[in-house]
Amino acid sequence: MSVSVVSSTKPGGAGVLRVRRTLRAVLPALSLILILLAIWHLNARAISYFGLNLMLNLAVPVALATVGQMFVMASNDLDLSIGTFVGFIGCITATVLHDSPVLGIAIFAGCIVVYALLGALIYLRNLPSIVVTLGMFFVWQGLAILVLPKPGGHAPDWLKALMSLKTPYVPFPVMAAVVIGVVAYVGLMRTSYGAVLRGAGGNAVAVERAGWSMLKVKMILFGLAGFCGVLAGMALIGLTTSADANLGNGYTLLSIAGAILGGGEFTGGRVSPIGSVIGALTLTLAGSLLNFMHISPDWQVAAQGGILIVVLAARVLINRAGSAA
Amino acid sequence: MRPERVMSQHSVVIELTGTEKSFGAVRALAGVDLAVAMHECVGLIGHNGAGKSTLMHVLAGTLTPDKATVAVKGETLKRYGLVAAHRLGIRCVFQELSLCPNLTVAENARILHPALRGFGWRRRAGELIISKLDEIFPDHRIAADAIVGDLPIGKRQMIEIARAFTVTTAPVNLVILDEPTSSLDGHTASQLFAFLRRSVKAGMSCILISHMLREILSTTDRVVVMRDGRVVTAGPTSSFDRNKLVVAMGGAEHHGTQADTPAPLAAAAAASEAPITVRMKPKGQHDGRELLARAGEIVGLAGLAGHGQTDLLLAVFDAGSGRAKKGAVADRIALVAGDRQTDGVFPLWSIAENIGVRSLARFRKGVLLSVEAEDALAARWKERIKIRTPDMRNPILSLSGGNQQKALFARALGSDATTVLMDDPMRGVDIGTKLDVYDLIQEEAQGGRTFLWYTTEMDELRHCDRVYVFRNGSIVAELARHEVSEERVIAASFAEAA
């Protein structure tokens, strides 16, 4: 009748797809397990309640920032400002929030509104998010330096207590990571509006034609990123107990790497909340692994990059094998 | 000619009167009237750029017309848009798929239905879409939790069609299908048409846009033929046959205003002696037909848009630049892009730089490029092709669309290329520019250059020495200059393999 593009589907066609999807989904977990095994091989005692607590406590703010980045990536944008934003939130936490909690919380709420407005700006003026958030990178950094010109400040006691919580059996960072992952997963992957949010990244025109507001979608996704950034900044200060204006600068690239490592892609609305959290844990543990291998921590960033390349290469291989089948 | 008027107003689902829409200088709709009754399946046909898709977007509310009256059940609506269309139960199956490839089948159903929310929405969405798929395509073998992007395009099209017919809170009264079978095989297509007939009998209406005249004749109740943004004929399907439809689309009255300048016989004879410069078999060709072009010839590529003409041009280009071994191309090639914005201009460069980029090798002076040589080339072509600008060093975007296109022609013609490929380059170009360029092409062809000219405009084919008509990626007809007529091109474009 017409071009018969529909190749007669082989009986195994659907099965191959499913295998490929499963492989793609477990790849982040696989890389985490490999790193854990390597650490265990070098020093079995590290894989203990105390060891994991020590190795992973910095993973909590990274995981939060990564999930925030993932929300932005869900609609094909990137947030380059999340790093200095986390730093700025940290400075507020160690100063304003410590001295007058109400004002501190009001500032945080204002920051989330600013994030949502950035989403609106990017959508309404059709601006590249990279440019807008790169500008914001410097804005947040400047604000952080204004708030805290030299390192100092004090984390609120309740926050310190929370971040050094000794939970029974399972270390606190692990529990926190599970909670972050599950909440983000349910919110983005299981709710009915979450489907619309992700659909906006896959085919924005289709979502708009179905009557949804892309403005609202962008504002919500950026607002969620801001919210996660606030939590990340607070968690970070809970761990370090005092702040520095440059504390979060590395988080921009770390969060992008974590979201990509976890199965996300820059375009097409393909993101994975649980994968992102696992990606953040993997990147954090990479530093510890180097320690155990007696390699200078200077190489940490290089090692993280190496892991990223290996995992992405594996993903490409899976995709290629799938399409060849 | 206006059977709409006969229908009682209450049986009318929606009525558009005096619909007008222009995109820049192009008038896509020039006062179209269309009414769709209940229990009716309307077939909408027309050649490239007749305005079918624009009309459909207006009906679906995704495009606001410049002027139109929209009436429902005899009442004129003040504002008509996406929301109103959705409330009235007007759904659309768009030609370009409007599914989210990163979502599952069920989630895509959810996107269309705000009512699918709350606990268990995923299960309900899955049941909704799968039951509709079962109804239309009984042996579809699609799972509700499959990711759409992983499915082949035929299955995606099935999902898109089935989704348009699903009902939650808003009713479905009119479904518009734009080329719904373009990626379906014969079996699924016949399942779709059987379903359409059942639904129409049950009280629904549909508009079917298709290039498959057989589908139109066998499925619809009424046919509307569009041409140049107007409805030229409409009537019960039973009063038409294939030939009548083809004639109606082509316009029975010969409206060729351009002089049919038959090439002097001597020149034609000389041309057949000239060396062959391009020999290329389209990728989808199975009967051994080939495209041949000789030096000094203007060869037209015709047929419906997107039936393999551009692919062939690109294949010739690749062969000419040594990137592919298929086919024989004895020439240096230059391409005039059709989509100026994405494939043509370098938006940040000056006019002169845009013209010179194909000839950089000639500008070389040692390891540097000679600006004087570039200026000289630009100045020469400013004169020859009449680019309207005070200074060729102005940015290319300071020119009007037509003049930008002239610069692209200058880029190709000013180069050392002996074969020039043209990928429907006159889209949206004003008539003055066109006439300037037509003359130039004739001149250059007489000078021995070969032109391969893909065009969707019938009038332009009259400038060609020979025309190949494409369909589904292969050549279905070869017409000599005196054989080229609108009817013959349309007849070949719509030819259906028996």
Side-chain angles (χ1 to χ4, degrees):
Chain A
M1 175 141 273
S2 69
V3 216
S4 45
V5 183
V6 199
S7 58
S8 53
T9 17
K10 288 162 246 117
V16 170
L17 281 178
R18 208 153 287 237
V19 169
R20 175 159 45 129
R21 253 172 77 190
T22 320
L23 264 179
R24 221 156 52 190
V26 301
L27 196 59
L30 218 58
S31 51
L32 178 64
I33 290 169
L34 275 178
I35 290 220
L36 280 173
L37 281 178
I39 291 176
W40 182 72
H41 176 76
L42 290 168
N43 188 342
R45 272 176 305 167
I47 309 297
S48 62
Y49 181 92
F50 183 70
L52 283 175
N53 216 344
L54 210 60
M55 286 191 295
L56 281 176
N57 62 12
L58 269 177
V60 176
V62 177
L64 284 165
T66 304
V67 169
Q69 186 68 257
M70 179 207 70
F71 281 125
V72 172
M73 279 170 64
S75 67
N76 304 341
D77 288 318
L78 266 189
D79 180 9
L80 297 184
S81 67
I82 189 111
T84 54
F85 179 69
V86 168
F88 169 71
I89 293 293
C91 291
I92 295 287
T93 307
T95 56
V96 183
L97 188 72
H98 181 264
D99 301 335
S100 55
V102 178
L103 182 59
I105 289 170
I107 292 177
F108 292 162
C111 287
I112 295 172
V113 171
V114 168
Y115 251 83
L117 290 178
L118 287 179
L121 178 73
I122 285 166
Y123 171 74
L124 290 174
R125 304 300 307 157
N126 199 14
L127 297 168
S129 59
I130 292 182
V131 174
V132 174
T133 57
L134 185 62
M136 287 310 291
F137 180 94
F138 297 110
V139 170
W140 296 124
Q141 188 163 45
L143 288 175
I145 291 169
L146 283 180
V147 171
L148 205 64
K150 50 179 186 274
H154 300 283
D157 292 328
W158 57 269
L159 193 57
K160 269 191 285 191
L162 175 69
M163 291 309 291
S164 52
L165 199 65
K166 294 276 177 289
T167 47
Y169 307 113
V170 183
F172 172 73
V174 176
M175 276 177 65
V178 169
V179 170
I180 295 165
V182 168
V183 169
Y185 174 78
V186 171
L188 190 62
M189 309 301 279
R190 302 300 295 185
T191 63
S192 56
Y193 194 68
V196 176
L197 292 177
R198 282 178 292 130
N203 188 343
V205 176
V207 169
E208 244 177 346
R209 275 183 190 161
W212 300 98
S213 159
M214 272 301 288
L215 177 66
K216 195 173 145 199
V217 165
K218 287 263 182 198
M219 289 180 74
I220 287 178
L221 285 172
F222 272 84
L224 284 170
F227 178 69
C228 290
V230 166
L231 293 185
M234 290 172 66
L236 185 57
I237 297 308
L239 291 168
T240 59
T241 67
S242 70
D244 171 0
N246 294 315
L247 204 54
N249 290 9
Y251 276 48
T252 294
L253 293 181
L254 215 50
S255 65
I256 296 173
I260 294 291
L261 200 59
E265 276 167 39
F266 286 120
T267 54
R270 276 183 198 264
V271 291
S272 158
I274 291 178
S276 298
V277 172
I278 293 178
L281 295 182
T282 310
L283 289 175
T284 317
L285 282 177
S288 306
L289 179 61
L290 290 188
N291 253 335
F292 288 117
M293 291 166 75
H294 304 293
I295 297 173
S296 149
D298 297 343
W299 289 91
Q300 183 168 338
V301 178
Q304 287 165 342
I307 292 172
L308 199 59
I309 290 172
V310 169
V311 172
L312 292 189
R315 198 195 297 171
V316 169
L317 284 180
I318 291 173
N319 285 344
R320 200 174 290 169
S323 53
Chain B
M1 219 39 132
R2 296 280 302 273
E4 292 93 324
R5 285 276 165 264
V6 197
M7 296 184 290
S8 97
Q9 289 201 318
H10 289 286
S11 67
V12 174
V13 179
I14 189 165
E15 182 170 12
L16 289 177
T17 346
T19 316
E20 287 179 27
K21 178 77 191 173
S22 300
F23 298 101
V26 181
R27 211 150 175 231
L29 295 176
V32 172
D33 301 336
L34 181 77
V36 182
M38 279 169 73
H39 287 287
E40 189 183 38
C41 183
V42 179
L44 186 57
I45 60 170
H47 202 243
N48 295 322
K52 299 166 303 209
S53 288
T54 311
L55 181 64
M56 189 197 64
H57 276 287
V58 169
L59 265 177
T62 46
L63 204 61
T64 314
D66 302 334
K67 219 178 108 191
T69 320
V70 184
V72 175
K73 301 215 166 84
E75 273 177 57
T76 307
L77 296 184
K78 277 219 180 66
R79 289 181 47 164
Y80 187 76
L82 259 178
V83 181
H86 197 78
R87 207 182 47 239
L88 289 169
I90 297 177
R91 305 279 183 84
C92 218
V93 178
F94 291 100
Q95 207 172 353
E96 72 280 30
L97 292 173
S98 54
L99 299 172
C100 298
N102 58 331
L103 301 186
T104 66
V105 177
E107 285 167 343
N108 268 291
R110 152 37 181 183
I111 297 283
L112 193 65
H113 294 289
L116 287 172
R117 56 191 298 175
F119 194 72
W121 69 271
R122 190 176 291 268
R123 183 182 43 77
R124 280 182 281 132
E127 282 165 4
L128 181 72
I129 184 77
I130 293 297
S131 66
K132 194 50 85 175
L133 275 167
D134 287 340
E135 193 182 336
I136 306 176
F137 309 105
D139 45 1
H140 57 82
R141 295 200 302 177
I142 295 170
D145 64 345
I147 303 266
V148 166
D150 290 340
L151 298 173
I153 184 156
K155 302 239 174 200
R156 274 186 268 164
Q157 182 126 39
M158 286 156 70
I159 296 163
E160 168 116 23
I161 291 168
R163 189 177 72 155
F165 286 94
T166 51
V167 181
T168 49
T169 45
V172 179
N173 291 322
L174 168 66
V175 177
I176 306 163
L177 299 117
D178 189 2
E179 294 288 342
T181 56
S182 57
S183 337
L184 295 184
D185 56 26
H187 175 59
T188 40
S190 58
Q191 285 177 332
L192 169 64
F193 292 127
F195 173 78
L196 283 185
R197 292 310 316 168
R198 288 203 302 277
S199 314
V200 168
K201 200 171 277 175
M204 216 169 1
S205 312
C206 69
I207 296 178
L208 177 63
I209 300 175
S210 178
H211 284 134
M212 307 289 192
L213 298 185
R214 198 166 50 192
E215 295 176 358
I216 296 283
L217 288 170
S218 64
T219 310
T220 62
D221 303 305
R222 193 158 63 85
V223 182
V224 174
V225 183
M226 285 187 72
R227 190 192 146 87
D228 299 335
R230 294 172 196 283
V231 173
V232 285
T233 313
T237 308
S238 50
S239 67
F240 286 96
D241 60 13
R242 235 191 81 81
N243 289 336
K244 268 193 181 167
L245 288 181
V246 168
V247 170
M249 277 190 286
E253 82 285 19
H254 207 279
H255 88 141
T257 45
Q258 239 95 44
D260 289 31
T261 43
L265 281 174
S272 64
E273 301 293 309
I276 291 173
T277 52
V278 176
R279 178 194 291 274
M280 178 64 71
K281 202 171 88 159
K283 220 169 147 226
Q285 196 86 36
H286 299 299
D287 59 1
R289 258 194 231 233
E290 277 184 321
L291 180 136
L292 284 181
R294 291 167 191 278
E297 240 186 344
I298 304 176
V299 176
L301 312 183
L304 296 163
H307 274 252
Q309 299 95 334
T310 302
D311 294 339
L312 183 106
L313 289 183
L314 293 179
V316 171
F317 187 85
D318 282 346
S321 50
R323 267 184 265 178
K325 288 271 180 306
K326 279 190 213 156
V329 176
D331 267 332
R332 290 179 299 272
I333 305 268
L335 176 80
V336 183
D339 190 342
R340 192 162 57 234
Q341 301 311 334
T342 58
D343 306 334
V345 300
F346 294 94
L348 297 178
W349 290 8
S350 70
I351 308 164
E353 285 169 316
N354 263 289
I355 292 177
V357 65
R358 174 65 179 74
S359 310
L360 291 179
R362 280 194 287 146
F363 300 160
R364 270 181 55 191
K365 209 165 70 182
V367 292
L368 300 177
L369 293 174
S370 155
V371 179
E372 292 77 34
E374 191 176 66
D375 278 335
L377 181 80
R380 190 158 71 245
W381 283 93
K382 175 180 196 272
E383 210 52 51
R384 267 203 80 183
I385 209 165
K386 303 186 191 83
I387 296 175
R388 287 181 194 93
T389 178
D391 185 351
M392 293 296 274
R393 286 283 164 194
N394 281 346
I396 182 100
L397 294 185
S398 67
L399 297 178
S400 69
N403 278 293
Q404 287 179 30
Q405 197 65 41
K406 280 186 184 176
L408 294 188
F409 271 105
R411 180 194 291 170
L413 297 175
S415 73
D416 59 357
T418 44
T419 294
V420 178
L421 313 176
M422 301 192 285
D423 182 13
D424 203 8
M426 303 294 191
R427 252 179 277 174
V429 170
D430 61 286
I431 183 72
T433 302
K434 283 183 182 175
L435 294 176
D436 288 351
V437 174
Y438 294 153
D439 291 345
L440 205 59
I441 290 172
Q442 294 288 356
E443 232 171 88
E444 291 288 325
Q446 268 154 28
R449 271 190 161 142
T450 313
F451 287 85
L452 288 187
W453 189 353
Y454 164 42
T455 173
T456 49
E457 289 184 34
M458 215 50 86
D459 288 341
E460 295 185 346
L461 293 177
R462 296 185 216 292
H463 296 274
C464 299
D465 298 315
R466 241 156 3 92
V467 171
Y468 290 97
V469 184
F470 279 69
R471 180 178 167 74
N472 283 343
S474 55
I475 298 169
V476 288
E478 179 184 344
L479 306 173
R481 178 188 271 263
H482 63 272
E483 298 172 314
V484 174
S485 69
E486 195 153 3
E487 291 80 26
R488 297 205 46 170
V489 171
I490 287 181
S493 312
F494 285 87
E496 282 169 43

